[in-house]
Amino acid sequence: MGSSTRVDVAIRGVRLMDAPVSRRAGAGPSDDGHVLLDGVGAAIPLNPRSPYSVDGGRLLLDGADTGMGVEAVARPRFYDLVTEDGVPYEQIARLHSAHVLATTVVQTCVRYAESERCRFCAIEESLRQGSTIAVKTPAQIAEVALAAHELDGVSQLVMTTGTSRGRDRGATHLARCVRAVREVLPDLPIQVQCEPPGDLATLSELHRAGANSIGIHVESLDDDARLRWMPGKGSVPMSEYRAAWAEAVRVFGWNQVSTYLLIGLGEDPDELVAGAEELIAMGVYPFVVPFRPLAGTLATEVDHVPAPAYEVVADVTSRVAAALRRAGMAGADQAAGCAACGACSALGCQGG
Ligand code: SF4
């Protein structure tokens, strides 16, 4: 796949308003449609003003064929099922890209007050819209995972959580959910995502429960950017993140730990790349992703921050991909999770 087109379309999005598999609001990147670009999964922002469009299964730029095939990911069959107590499966977990099942086990966040909230996050927006439920029980998640695996061939599960008030910051409920899925699907690769838990022994508990990979997402390594963009989460000192990453690598293994790094939060690109290289040296995969201006976030509604420039995203992505190749660290080698899926980043199509 042309990696420059992949980066460009990841930023500018595509005029494709009826993608059968898409996300609105929620945690992490959203407002996107899930497609296969030349057969490779990609989560692309849906943007009615994008110069990219789709016609006859081809990706067009300003009406001209880019040479790239596009196929929308089909609506999965498990979306049509409902639990015994009447909750649509679609509100419990969603299909991401072609084969990933993803769920936010607790859809509220202790940091969601306007003065504390991460300015790029819309975790409670999908709850407000009624498209999900506040807390998913372990039994509900296990039920949906089994159906998604059997009916739609889902091959990995990603579980994230809003941050809770407890010292574990939500990790204990995640562990309960992993255990429940393990009972029905002993071999399904599972990634969990959480903040550094106050007690690092919780990381071993998540691993013992059956999680194969873990994402501990810092979003930015620059303290100024962290406090500006994430007044609540940015108050967790970097030393806590470093301790949690080191312990997670010890417990889960080299390249089974990852973190998101968002391009476009004002961080110096050279420092961002140097920070990514330090993470790689620790055994942590830096999942670099362009910041997306999402509806319902403070960044969009209040700050009006645009997506980062194409040149910056292309430069940072290609330098981090080169560092990953030098270290022999590939996202595809993670058992599960965003690095393994790769749909939200252009690292994978550059061998990272
Ligand atoms: S990279 Fe992560 S957030 Fe993006 S589609 Fe894949 S699993 Fe979902």
Side-chain angles (χ1 to χ4, degrees), residues 23 34 96 100 260 287 338 341 343-344:
R23 288 175 296 178
H34 292 222
H96 279 204
V100 183
Y260 265 67
F287 193 64
C338 292
C341 165
C344 288

Side-chain angles (χ1 to χ4, degrees), residues 3-252:
S3 92
S4 58
T5 303
R6 176 68 183 81
V7 172
D8 198 31
V9 80
I11 298 165
R12 299 211 262 176
V14 64
R15 292 200 305 273
L16 178 79
M17 301 318 289
D18 59 348
V21 174
S22 61
R23 288 175 296 178
R24 300 281 177 192
S30 59
D31 288 0
D32 54 17
H34 292 222
V35 297
L36 299 175
L37 286 179
D38 277 349
V40 179
I44 305 293
L46 298 172
N47 173 9
R49 290 182 302 282
S50 171
Y52 287 97
S53 58
V54 177
D55 191 29
R58 312 294 298 170
L59 182 69
L60 310 182
L61 174 59
D62 292 326
D65 193 343
T66 60
M68 197 173 274
V70 186
E71 203 186 315
V73 172
R75 180 183 160 85
R77 285 185 282 178
F78 80 86
Y79 276 14
D80 296 328
L81 302 179
V82 176
T83 62
E84 263 180 27
D85 46 346
V87 183
Y89 278 19
E90 195 179 352
Q91 294 191 2
I92 295 167
R94 313 266 311 170
L95 184 67
H96 279 204
S97 194
H99 299 294
V100 183
L101 184 69
T103 179
T104 301
V105 297
V106 175
Q107 198 79 36
T108 55
C109 184
V110 67
R111 308 194 191 287
Y112 213 63
E114 211 165 303
S115 58
E116 291 269 294
R117 186 188 314 172
C118 301
R119 302 189 82 78
F120 44 72
C121 181
I123 187 168
E124 293 193 15
E125 197 55 19
S126 44
L127 188 59
R128 205 182 53 78
Q129 291 166 3
S131 52
T132 187
I133 55 175
V135 179
K136 287 89 176 175
T137 66
Q140 284 174 328
I141 293 172
E143 180 178 337
V144 175
L146 184 62
H149 181 65
E150 288 181 346
L151 296 177
D152 300 290
V154 154
S155 58
Q156 52 155 303
L157 171 62
V158 176
M159 286 195 260
T160 188
T161 184
T163 302
S164 71
R165 203 169 292 283
R167 185 168 143 72
D168 67 304
R169 297 192 173 126
T172 306
H173 183 63
L174 272 177
R176 279 190 214 109
C177 294
V178 175
R179 254 183 240 112
V181 174
R182 271 287 159 263
E183 280 179 22
V184 294
L185 289 165
D187 300 320
L188 185 75
I190 299 176
Q191 189 217 30
V192 287
Q193 304 179 345
C194 59
E195 284 195 31
D199 179 356
L200 292 183
T202 310
L203 297 171
S204 294
E205 189 187 331
L206 285 163
H207 188 249
R208 268 197 309 276
N212 307 90
S213 316
I214 186 165
I216 303 173
H217 298 169
V218 72
E219 333 293 350
S220 171
L221 298 165
D222 176 308
D223 270 332
D224 289 342
R226 294 179 72 226
L227 286 172
R228 206 167 50 246
W229 282 81
M230 303 166 262
K233 182 166 136 158
S235 66
V236 177
M238 278 307 304
S239 55
E240 271 199 49
Y241 276 89
R242 292 208 173 87
W245 287 323
E247 174 64 4
V249 170
R250 190 189 71 75
V251 171
F252 286 82

